[in-house]
Amino acid sequence: MRTIKALSILIISFLLVACGNKKGDYDASGIFETTEVIVSSEANGKILELNLEEGQIVNPDVPMGYIDTTQLYLKKMQLLASNQAVKSKQTDVPRQIAAIQQQIVTQKKEQARFENLVKSNAANQKQLDDINAQILYLEKQLAAQTEVLMNSNRGISEESSSMQIQVAQLNDQIVKSVIKSPIKGTILSKYAEQGELAVQGKALFKVGDIENMILRAYISASQLTQLKVGQTVQVFSDLGEADRKEYSGTIEWISDKAEFTPKTIQTRDERANLVYAVKIAVKNDGYIKRGMYGEIKF
C-alpha cells in the first residue's frame, strides 16, 4: 500500500508539472486567417463561362471564365470602319498646292527676265510691277490654301484620334470581360453561376491567399513591450491532438488600441481585461488551414 501511495503521489506530481509547463509553453494564441479578395465583375453582360468551384486552387491572371462581349466587339468594328472613312478625307497638302507653287516659280523667272529688260530699257517698269503684284498675289493665295488644308487635316486627325481612344476603351472593356483571380489562392466562396447576368460591381467569387497566412493573436499590456513590428517569433500550429508544427513568423502589425479580451482567445495573463491585437505573417507549407488555432512564442 505504501508503494502504491508513493507511486500515485509521483504520478500526480508529474501531471501537475506537465500541466504547468504546458500552460507556459506559449505566450499567446490566435487563429490563422488569410488575405481575402472579393473579385467583382468589371463588365456588364451574360456570364458565358465560369470554371471555378469552392476549394479550387487558382493562379493569378489565368482566365477562369468570361462575360459576353459581342456588343462590344461589334461597336469596335463600327468605330474602326468609321475611322477609316474619316482618314480617307485627309488631303495631300503638297499635291494640292503644287500648281500654285509652280506658278510662283514661273512668275519669278519672268520677274528676273523683265528686271534685266528694264535695266536695258527694253521693257517698261509697269510690266515689271504687274509681275511683282502677281507673285505677291500667288504667295498669299498659297499661304491661305495651305492653312485651310492644314486645318482641315488637323480636324480630321483629331476626329480619328478620338475614335482610336474609343476603340482603346472598348479593348479595355473586352479585356476586363475575362474573369481572373488577382492572387494565387483558394476559392472560398462562389457568388455567381454560368448563364447569370453580371453587372459592374457584382461579386463573382472570393479567393484567399493560402501561401501567406496571418495569425491574429492577442497579447496583454505587459507583453506589449516585448514585441515590435518586423520582429521574428516562433509560431506553432496544430498537427493533431498532441502535436505541433513550428514555423517562423514575422510581426507585421501591432494594434495601437486596447480592446477587451475575446472570449475565444486565451492569453498568458488571464487577469488582464484589455489586450492588444497583433498580426503575424507566416509562410504556409500547405499544412496551415484557415480558421486553425495557433500559438506564438516570443
Side-chain angles (χ1 to χ4, degrees):
M1 292 293 293
R2 184 176 298 175
T3 303
I4 294 175
K5 184 176 181 180
L7 183 59
S8 299
I9 293 173
L10 181 61
I11 293 174
I12 292 172
S13 300
F14 175 78
L15 290 174
L16 289 173
V17 171
C19 291
N21 289 338
K22 186 176 180 180
K23 184 178 179 180
D25 278 347
Y26 308 109
D27 295 300
S29 299
I31 295 177
F32 285 103
E33 302 175 348
T34 60
T35 300
E36 299 178 358
V37 179
I38 295 179
V39 179
S40 300
S41 173
E42 297 182 88
N44 299 322
K46 185 178 180 180
I47 301 175
L48 297 181
E49 188 175 320
L50 189 58
N51 299 319
L52 58 89
E53 297 297 336
E54 293 181 359
Q56 177 182 340
I57 297 177
V58 295
N59 292 308
D61 299 325
V62 175
M64 296 178 295
Y66 61 93
I67 297 169
D68 186 15
T69 60
T70 303
Q71 295 303 317
L72 294 175
Y73 177 77
L74 293 175
K75 190 173 181 180
K76 174 185 172 181
M77 292 297 101
Q78 182 183 14
L79 280 171
L80 290 174
S82 299
N83 189 34
Q84 288 297 325
V86 167
K87 279 183 166 183
S88 66
K89 296 178 182 179
Q90 283 189 322
T91 304
D92 187 346
V93 176
R95 179 176 295 179
Q96 292 294 324
I97 63 176
I100 299 179
Q101 288 177 329
Q102 184 59 47
Q103 292 180 48
I104 293 174
V105 170
T106 302
Q107 289 297 320
K108 284 186 175 181
K109 289 180 180 179
E110 287 293 305
Q111 180 188 47
R113 188 169 67 87
F114 270 85
E115 284 177 348
N116 293 328
L117 291 173
V118 170
K119 288 179 182 179
S120 60
N121 294 321
N124 58 46
Q125 183 65 36
K126 183 179 183 305
Q127 290 175 303
L128 180 60
D129 291 341
D130 289 342
I131 293 173
N132 291 336
Q134 182 66 18
I135 291 174
L136 184 61
Y137 170 77
L138 289 173
E139 287 177 342
K140 289 182 178 179
Q141 186 179 9
L142 175 64
Q145 187 173 353
T146 302
E147 184 178 0
V148 170
L149 293 174
M150 293 293 290
N151 288 337
S152 176
N153 282 353
R154 191 177 298 112
I156 292 172
S157 296
E158 290 175 355
E159 186 177 355
S160 176
S161 297
S162 175
M163 290 183 176
Q164 289 174 358
I165 292 173
Q166 294 179 60
V167 170
Q169 290 175 335
L170 290 173
N171 285 334
D172 181 63
Q173 292 179 36
I174 291 173
V175 170
K176 289 179 178 178
S177 297
V178 180
I179 302 171
K180 302 177 182 178
S181 172
I183 63 172
K184 181 178 180 179
T186 301
I187 302 298
L188 304 177
S189 300
K190 184 179 180 182
Y191 305 122
E193 296 292 342
Q194 181 174 321
E196 292 182 356
L197 184 65
V199 294
Q200 285 186 346
K202 177 183 178 179
L204 301 178
F205 61 92
K206 179 165 66 175
V207 60
D209 182 1
I210 60 170
E211 288 191 343
N212 303 286
M213 304 294 290
I214 299 293
L215 177 63
R216 180 186 287 270
Y218 293 86
I219 59 173
S220 63
S222 61
Q223 295 173 308
L224 190 63
T225 56
Q226 303 177 42
L227 301 178
K228 65 178 180 179
V229 175
Q231 179 179 338
T232 301
V233 296
Q234 293 173 288
V235 178
F236 300 86
S237 68
D238 289 333
L239 273 184
E241 295 182 357
D243 198 6
R244 295 286 189 274
K245 186 173 176 62
E246 182 178 346
Y247 298 88
S248 176
T250 303
I251 298 175
E252 63 175 20
W253 175 79
I254 301 176
S255 175
D256 58 352
K257 294 182 180 180
E259 54 187 289
F260 288 102
T261 308
K263 293 180 180 180
T264 58
I265 302 297
Q266 296 294 326
T267 61
R268 186 179 65 180
D269 189 0
E270 295 180 352
R271 295 173 297 176
N273 291 325
L274 294 175
V275 293
Y276 293 83
V278 296
K279 287 183 179 180
I280 300 150
V282 181
K283 198 73 176 177
N284 189 9
D285 59 357
Y287 290 101
I288 304 177
K289 305 298 188 294
R290 189 170 67 107
M292 182 185 291
Y293 281 92
E295 290 80 21
I296 60 173
K297 198 171 184 181
F298 305 154

